[in-house]
Amino acid sequence: MSDQPLNVLFLCTGNSARSILGEVILNHDGEGRFKAYSAGSNPTGTVNPWAIHTLKALGYPADGYSSKSWSDFAHGPEFDLIFTVCDSAAAETCPIWPGRPTSAHWGIPDPAAAEGSDAEKAAAFLDAFRMLKRRIDLMLALPIASLEQIALCERLQAIGKDADKQ
């Protein structure tokens, strides 16, 4: 395997919350082993202010991220891994991605749909952050370089199904 970082794409419909959180967490915690991106099938055009608030509150970088369309990545970079983090994006017909990426679905409840007080909205974003961080931590512990693509896909899918039960 190359010493180059693995390119990872987090997909969601709006690309304003969950996929942004995944991008930031992996870029930060992956310590240069990964280059994460995020996109949406129907992007909102802005990053949700609660996502920015959550990232800052937890000591993660929050500047320079944007809501963008998955069509922005139709011609590259070549992705090694693609994660859908919302059920609606997982059900959509995705573009054909350059390269041969391994993909997995890591469904996370939409914190942007939270209603109620500011405390309830903050809690929804913190829950989404914790779920993504747990899954990313489990992925970072995998011996990715030594796994065959099928085994890697199975392990990544399992993380999406089992991470919150542990």
Side-chain angles (χ1 to χ4, degrees):
M1 174 170 259
S2 170
D3 288 336
Q4 296 296 313
L6 296 179
N7 289 321
V8 180
L9 180 61
F10 288 91
L11 292 175
C12 200
T13 304
N15 188 223
S16 69
R18 293 167 284 187
S19 51
I20 297 286
L21 294 174
E23 176 184 7
V24 174
I25 294 166
L26 184 55
N27 278 330
H28 183 270
D29 295 356
E31 300 175 338
R33 296 184 303 155
F34 298 87
K35 174 62 180 138
Y37 303 85
S38 68
S41 59
N42 187 22
T44 64
T46 60
V47 177
N48 187 297
W50 283 104
I52 294 168
H53 170 80
T54 302
L55 291 166
K56 286 181 178 179
L58 296 172
Y60 281 76
D63 296 326
Y65 292 94
S66 62
S67 174
K68 55 213 152 297
S69 174
W70 63 16
S71 64
D72 293 356
F73 298 103
H75 301 291
E78 287 190 7
F79 292 104
D80 300 291
L81 305 171
I82 296 179
F83 296 101
T84 53
V85 292
C86 68
D87 294 335
S88 57
E92 295 182 64
T93 302
C94 292
I96 303 297
W97 301 107
R100 295 185 43 138
T102 298
S103 62
H105 177 61
W106 287 359
I108 304 285
D110 186 4
E115 296 181 2
S117 68
D118 284 353
E120 290 168 315
K121 291 175 186 176
F125 274 85
L126 185 58
D127 285 346
F129 179 95
R130 286 181 178 153
M131 284 185 235
L132 282 161
K133 175 136 176 55
R134 173 74 176 141
R135 292 171 187 193
I136 289 168
D137 286 348
L138 290 169
M139 182 194 74
L140 291 173
L142 289 175
I144 291 176
S146 64
L147 291 173
E148 295 292 329
Q149 189 168 11
I150 292 173
L152 176 60
C153 184
E154 289 172 354
R155 300 279 291 273
L156 295 174
Q157 290 286 5
I159 287 172
K161 292 177 184 169
D162 299 330
D164 300 322
K165 296 175 187 172
Q166 299 177 2

